[in-house]
Amino acid sequence: MPGAIYAEGLVKTFGDVRALDGVDLDVPEGTVLGLLGPNGAGKTTAVRCLTTLLRPDRGRAVVAGLDVLKEPDAVRRSIGLSGQFAAVDEYLTGRENLQMVGQLYQMRAKAAKARAAELLEQFDLADAADRPTKTYSGGMRRRLDLAAALVVSPPVMFMDEPTTGLDPRNRQLLWEVIKQLVSGGTTLLLTTQYLEEADHLAHDIAVVDHGHVIATGTSDQLKARTGGERVEVVVHEREHMTTAAEVLAGFGKGETTVEDHMRKLTVPVTGGAKLLAEVIRELDTRGIEIDDIGLRRPTLDDVFLSLTGHVAEVKDEQNDKEAVK
Ligand SMILES: Nc1ncnc2c1ncn2[C@@H]1O[C@H](COP(=O)(O)OP(=O)(O)OP(=O)(O)O)[C@@H](O)[C@H]1O
Ligand SMILES: [Mg+2]
């Protein structure tokens, strides 16, 4: 059975640009999929196709059990969406914006009011609730936009870079809101430039580049693909490098990398801290003085870099400016 968000062979071109070049996704109900990819990879285009805002040239998508191309209206009623660029009405207050969303979803006026008040509190906007949103800062707009996506608790949510432009405290706040939402059974697809965020929130991660999904898996699975644990040693004396390399080879599960100029040796291992202690003892026994030694696990940054050849870029500044326009 396909998951709550399912896509097969999605293609979308804009003139010469193939923004989506056959995207497949399958997100089980009640889980979070983190869509990671460098700028221009196709993340927003994928979200727009899945939320009926764009019609793909080819492919099929099913969201909350509904065919996105055949039943777009029903899909829209079953999803919540918060965009990369906040979409709020400038001349309404924060409270009015949220109440309006409730009314669009046919909530009773009283219920919409209560829900708006609750969300304003939750997103730390209570003090600014009755000011026109054109007076809000970039981070406040983003929080209001997220709150708007949560007025009704839809079974499926899409969030395009939900925390870009938020300060650490508000990012933390949003993570808590997201966790609550998901523990209530919501299925979520989120795009993010923050690998730490994907690591923290997503059950599964799909890495997108040039309109393709180039890897999927849990954060741990992706990290393991990048080479797993390594021991890194910096020896004190350059003359000790050869002996140190022999020692490491005895413990290693693969080839030792030597960075001569830094007197650094790296070897893939399994066995964690216990093994590290053994390596230290053996180096000591052989009289090799070390400046530094450590067990290094790959981060999602390493995964991202090795898969896409890019480091993840963060562009808060730019987004804030966009959001204020
Ligand atoms: N409406 C459009 N018209 C023309 N080209 C477009 C349009 N929308 C997207 N593109 C192009 O499609 C490609 C994918 O864009 P998309 O916005 O989906 O990337 P993204 O992964 O969301 O990037 P970012 O991390 O910068 O938000 C880019 O090359 C972009 O320039
Ligand atoms: Mg985008």
Side-chain angles (χ1 to χ4, degrees):
M1 233 212 18
I5 302 170
Y6 177 81
E8 196 184 301
L10 288 184
V11 173
K12 180 71 194 177
T13 53
F14 297 105
D16 295 342
V17 179
R18 231 171 150 75
L20 299 182
D21 194 16
V23 166
D24 303 322
L25 294 171
D26 194 357
V27 190
E29 202 178 316
T31 68
V32 180
L33 177 75
L35 213 54
L36 285 182
N39 292 151
K43 302 178 298 292
T44 297
T45 306
V47 169
R48 297 188 68 205
C49 284
L50 291 167
T51 54
T52 78
L53 298 176
L54 259 186
R55 207 181 158 81
D57 305 334
R58 256 194 280 152
R60 201 166 79 84
V62 179
V63 168
L66 301 158
D67 189 301
V68 175
L69 291 170
K70 294 188 188 132
E71 307 162 87
D73 293 332
V75 168
R76 262 175 242 143
R77 282 194 295 272
S78 307
I79 63 175
L81 166 66
S82 90
Q84 186 170 10
F85 305 116
V88 296
D89 187 319
E90 295 280 301
Y91 293 95
L92 297 182
T93 66
R95 192 187 307 280
E96 286 164 348
N97 262 292
L98 296 184
Q99 288 176 1
M100 189 181 71
V101 175
Q103 274 153 22
L104 288 178
Y105 279 95
Q106 267 121 41
M107 279 170 93
R108 292 212 133 124
K110 202 173 161 192
K113 235 173 147 168
R115 183 67 182 137
E118 190 180 11
L119 286 163
L120 288 162
E121 196 64 50
Q122 200 172 8
F123 282 90
D124 206 11
L125 290 168
D127 290 344
D130 299 308
R131 264 164 43 193
T133 45
K134 62 172 189 265
T135 67
Y136 283 21
S137 72
M140 289 164 82
R141 274 155 207 267
R142 177 143 292 272
R143 267 137 61 208
L144 185 66
D145 181 60
L146 289 160
L150 297 171
V151 169
V152 286
S153 305
V156 180
M157 286 275 307
F158 294 85
M159 295 184 172
D160 195 8
E161 299 200 21
T163 62
T164 299
L166 292 187
D167 62 29
R169 194 181 77 89
N170 279 307
R171 182 168 300 152
Q172 203 72 43
L173 196 125
L174 183 71
W175 286 2
E176 287 315 309
V177 175
I178 289 177
K179 279 191 210 154
Q180 261 178 41
L181 196 73
V182 174
S183 68
T186 299
T187 307
L188 171 66
L189 185 152
L190 76 92
T191 77
T192 183
Q193 300 270 345
Y194 300 106
L195 305 181
E196 188 202 349
E197 180 161 287
D199 220 349
H200 197 78
L201 293 176
H203 298 98
D204 284 298
I205 291 171
V207 183
V208 188
D209 200 15
H210 301 297
H212 286 292
V213 176
I214 55 171
T216 48
T218 63
S219 172
D220 284 342
Q221 284 165 347
L222 291 176
K223 286 174 187 170
R225 273 181 51 169
T226 311
E229 289 178 334
R230 319 184 274 291
V231 168
E232 270 180 16
V233 185
V234 178
V235 299
H236 188 65
E237 306 271 357
R238 194 177 295 272
E239 301 81 80
H240 285 157
M241 299 234 349
T242 317
T243 327
E246 275 170 33
V247 172
L248 291 185
F251 291 100
K253 293 281 178 242
E255 219 170 295
T256 309
T257 319
V258 181
E259 288 162 83
D260 223 358
H261 59 293
M262 296 170 75
R263 303 186 312 281
K264 183 159 133 188
L265 302 115
T266 309
V267 70
V269 296
T270 51
K274 189 161 172 285
L275 181 108
L276 182 64
E278 287 171 27
V279 175
I280 294 171
R281 272 197 297 276
E282 182 63 21
L283 288 169
D284 194 39
T285 308
R286 303 258 203 129
I288 300 169
E289 197 181 332
I290 52 183
D291 282 348
D292 194 16
I293 186 162
L295 191 65
R296 185 149 147 65
R297 295 195 169 87
T299 63
L300 262 189
D301 286 279
D302 298 327
V303 173
F304 195 81
L305 182 63
S306 81
L307 286 171
T308 68
H310 306 266
V311 288
E313 291 176 55
V314 176
K315 27 158 214 162
D316 291 2
E317 290 291 317
Q318 186 192 332
N319 268 358
D320 269 347
K321 276 184 208 124
E322 291 285 342
V324 169
K325 259 184 215 154

